[in-house]
């Protein structure tokens, strides 16, 4: 690393989340509701997406400013053709210490081995229920649980680190909290519960649909006693617990009830090459056109450094103060920047 940049709140730039496509084979109601993301939805044409070469070049510039961890996301990242080639290219970039991917898992069984061979370290698989009917409804396309579980086991068998993310919504899948906890405890995978968030403008978010993490802990603890685990590193987003007397952990990502903006070190790059300083940002800054217009690495570096340096975003910390007006703000859609 040549230089570590800090934002206006003294937060270092450490992580880069790269969305490689805005398309997805699911239509999760909370992310890409089918009524809005229908057959005529104008997804990005190929030429507007950053190419693998462009993503790799930008990754190199980001690492020169402090980024060490890369997360590939989407849309559904495995919808992007030849994704393993991109992983291989990013793996070669100086300063990249860790490459992870967030996926819905539906195409994972097919790709796990080649992704591991290309240099992917870890996957986070999103799964919100073990009940086929509910899961089919949540994913909006009738996909079955079994297909995702196969993806999870294929990833583990290939030697990838595996975590499971469950977005909990009251009245939708809160009855799945305990079955999910029991199942993944038995399987030995870390399950993380995520509070439902008001991302984008189309998911119809209401505060009373959020199941606070402390309620989830209470519920699990009553059946399977838990004890807290100290954070691994600065900026870790999940609070960690383990089942008492074991090494098996769960995590809670309390984006709504216990915001963690003060240690947020994540920048985001959308599939069309815009840089966002926050999951809830209204505006990203275009890097693609300058890159295609021939800007040098040094000039791009200056530009990215300037964007991060003036960053003061802390949306989640401010959310609860501003909830009544929250829906008036126009935010980027989750499927554009990948969570
Ligand atoms: N398609 C991939 C997937 O589902 O894992 C990657 C992209 S998805 C946008 C990234 C993560 O954001 C998923 O774990 C998803 O469950 C989560 N997510 C989407 N909308 C959300 C919301 N409104 N609140 C909380 N998490 C959300
Ligand atoms: Fe697709 Fe992931 Fe969004 Fe669901 S959460 S619609 S799988 S991008
Ligand atoms: Fe980071 Fe924005 Fe989320 Fe806060 S709201 S943790 S600043 S992405």
């Amino acid at each position: 690393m040549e230089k570590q940049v800090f934002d206006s709140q003294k937060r270092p730039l450490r992580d880069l989340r790269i969305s490689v496509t805005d398309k997805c084979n699911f239509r999760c109601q909370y992310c890409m509701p089918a009524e809005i993301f229908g057959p005529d939805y104008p997804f990005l044409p190929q030429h507007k997406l950053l190419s693998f070469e462009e993503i790799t070049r930008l990754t190199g510039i980001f690492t020169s400013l402090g980024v060490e961890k890369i997360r590939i996301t989407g849309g559904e990242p495995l919808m992007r053709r030849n994704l393993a080639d991109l992983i291989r290219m990013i793996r070669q970039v100086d300063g990249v210490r860790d490459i992870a991917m967030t996926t819905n898992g539906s195409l994972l069984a097919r790709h796990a081995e080649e992704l591991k061979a290309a240099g992917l370290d870890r996957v986070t698989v999103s799964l919100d229920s073990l009940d086929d009917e509910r899961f089919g409804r949540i994913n909006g396309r009738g996909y079955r649980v079994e297909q995702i579980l196969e993806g999870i086991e294929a990833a583990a068998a290939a030697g990838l680190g595996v975590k499971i993310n469950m977005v909990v919504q009251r009245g939708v899948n809160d009855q799945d909290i305990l079955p999910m906890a029991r199942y993944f405890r038995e399987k030995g995978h870390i399950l993380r519960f995520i509070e439902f968030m008001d991302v984008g403008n189309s998911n119809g978010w209401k505060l009373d649909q959020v199941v606070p993490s402390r309620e989830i802990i209470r519920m699990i603890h009553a059946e399977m006693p838990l004890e807290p685990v100290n954070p691994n590193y600065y900026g870790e987003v999940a609070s960690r617990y383990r089942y008492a007397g074991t090494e098996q952990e769960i995590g809670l990502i309390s984006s709504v009830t216990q915001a963690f903006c003060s240690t947020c070190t994540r920048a985001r790059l959308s599939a069309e090459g815009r840089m966002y300083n926050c999951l809830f940002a209204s505006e990203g800054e275009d890097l693609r056109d300058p890159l295609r217009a021939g800007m040098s690495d040094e000039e791009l570096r200056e530009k990215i450094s300037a964007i991060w340096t003036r960053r003061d975003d802390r949306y989640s910390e401010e959310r609860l103060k501003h909830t009544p007006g929250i829906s008036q703000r126009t935010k980027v859609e989750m499927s554009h920047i990948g969570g």
Side-chain angles (χ1 to χ4, degrees):
M1 193 208 337
E2 294 157 50
K3 177 183 159 197
Q4 173 69 66
V5 287
F6 292 88
D7 71 6
S8 70
Q9 310 288 315
K10 301 199 168 48
R11 296 168 295 189
L13 171 59
R14 287 277 164 74
D15 314 72
L16 179 63
R17 301 193 162 205
I18 305 171
S19 170
V20 293
T21 177
D22 60 336
K23 298 197 180 71
C24 187
N25 51 340
F26 284 15
R27 284 293 177 274
C28 306
Q29 192 65 31
Y30 54 60
C31 175
M32 293 175 74
E35 316 82 80
I36 294 168
F37 295 83
D40 300 324
Y41 187 81
F43 288 104
L44 293 168
Q46 187 73 22
H47 71 272
K48 290 203 172 163
L49 299 178
L50 290 182
S51 69
F52 288 176
E53 287 71 22
E54 289 168 334
I55 293 175
T56 307
R57 183 167 163 217
L58 287 175
T59 303
I61 298 168
F62 273 97
T63 57
S64 78
L65 293 167
V67 163
E68 298 179 336
K69 293 168 75 176
I70 304 293
R71 179 170 292 275
I72 305 294
T73 176
E76 173 46 42
L78 290 173
M79 298 282 282
R80 180 90 185 240
R81 237 177 294 141
N82 305 321
L83 188 69
D85 293 343
L86 175 66
I87 306 287
R88 209 169 291 115
M89 290 162 75
I90 292 177
R91 192 79 261 179
Q92 309 293 321
V93 174
D94 249 4
V96 170
R97 298 230 316 243
D98 183 73
I99 311 177
M101 178 175 76
T102 307
T103 171
N104 64 31
S106 61
L107 303 168
L108 192 53
R110 198 178 308 170
H111 293 289
E113 283 199 10
E114 60 163 347
L115 290 168
K116 171 68 186 172
L120 186 69
D121 295 303
R122 306 181 291 121
V123 288
T124 302
V125 181
S126 309
L127 179 63
D128 295 341
S129 175
L130 290 171
D131 176 87
D132 262 330
E133 208 208 299
R134 263 195 305 282
F135 180 59
R137 225 179 308 128
I138 292 169
N139 67 53
R141 287 273 169 91
Y143 278 87
R144 297 173 65 90
V145 176
E146 190 57 33
Q147 190 171 338
I148 315 307
L149 297 179
E150 280 168 18
I152 291 170
E153 293 319 318
L160 291 164
V162 177
K163 285 184 188 145
I164 318 301
N165 272 2
M166 171 181 182
V167 175
V168 183
Q169 269 180 279
R170 198 182 297 285
V172 174
N173 66 339
D174 43 353
Q175 67 273 59
D176 293 301
I177 294 171
L178 281 171
M180 288 278 288
R182 289 180 201 121
Y183 181 86
F184 288 107
R185 179 185 191 214
E186 176 70 30
K187 285 282 174 192
H189 299 310
I190 296 178
L191 171 62
R192 304 191 312 169
F193 298 93
I194 303 184
E195 289 178 348
F196 177 50
M197 294 183 289
D198 51 334
V199 287
N201 310 291
S202 38
N203 79 357
W205 185 85
K206 294 202 194 64
L207 186 56
D208 60 12
Q209 290 168 290
V210 178
V211 181
S213 291
R214 57 180 179 280
E215 194 175 320
I216 298 177
I217 296 168
R218 254 199 318 270
M219 193 189 281
I220 298 176
H221 184 72
E223 176 177 319
M224 298 172 273
L226 292 168
E227 53 195 32
V229 180
N230 289 331
N232 268 336
Y233 54 87
Y234 173 83
E236 186 168 46
V237 296
S239 338
R240 297 158 58 215
Y241 287 80
R242 69 178 153 241
Y243 294 109
T246 75
E247 290 298 308
Q248 182 60 42
E249 290 185 16
I250 60 165
L252 296 115
I253 303 184
S254 318
S255 347
V256 178
T257 61
Q258 294 158 55
F260 37 79
C261 302
S262 62
T263 57
C264 177
T265 54
R266 292 176 292 284
R268 296 174 152 86
L269 186 61
S270 74
E272 58 185 328
R274 300 182 81 83
M275 175 175 165
Y276 290 86
N277 278 336
C278 175
L279 180 54
F280 300 93
S282 333
E283 296 277 328
E285 186 120 13
D286 182 37
L287 301 179
R288 186 194 62 202
D289 286 351
L291 186 133
R292 290 188 182 170
M295 232 189 209
S296 70
D297 280 8
E298 197 42 48
E299 288 166 325
L300 282 164
R301 198 161 168 264
E302 289 289 310
K303 190 173 171 66
I304 293 169
S305 172
I307 297 170
W308 188 264
T309 306
R310 64 170 182 265
R311 174 187 194 240
D312 67 354
D313 302 66
R314 41 183 198 284
Y315 181 85
S316 287
E317 283 181 358
E318 291 168 345
R319 174 197 283 118
L320 291 178
K321 290 185 235 155
H322 299 306
T323 300
I326 216 154
S327 57
Q328 273 100 298
R329 174 164 163 178
T330 308
K331 292 166 278 177
V332 62
E333 290 297 333
M334 184 78 141
S335 53
H336 276 239
I337 56 170

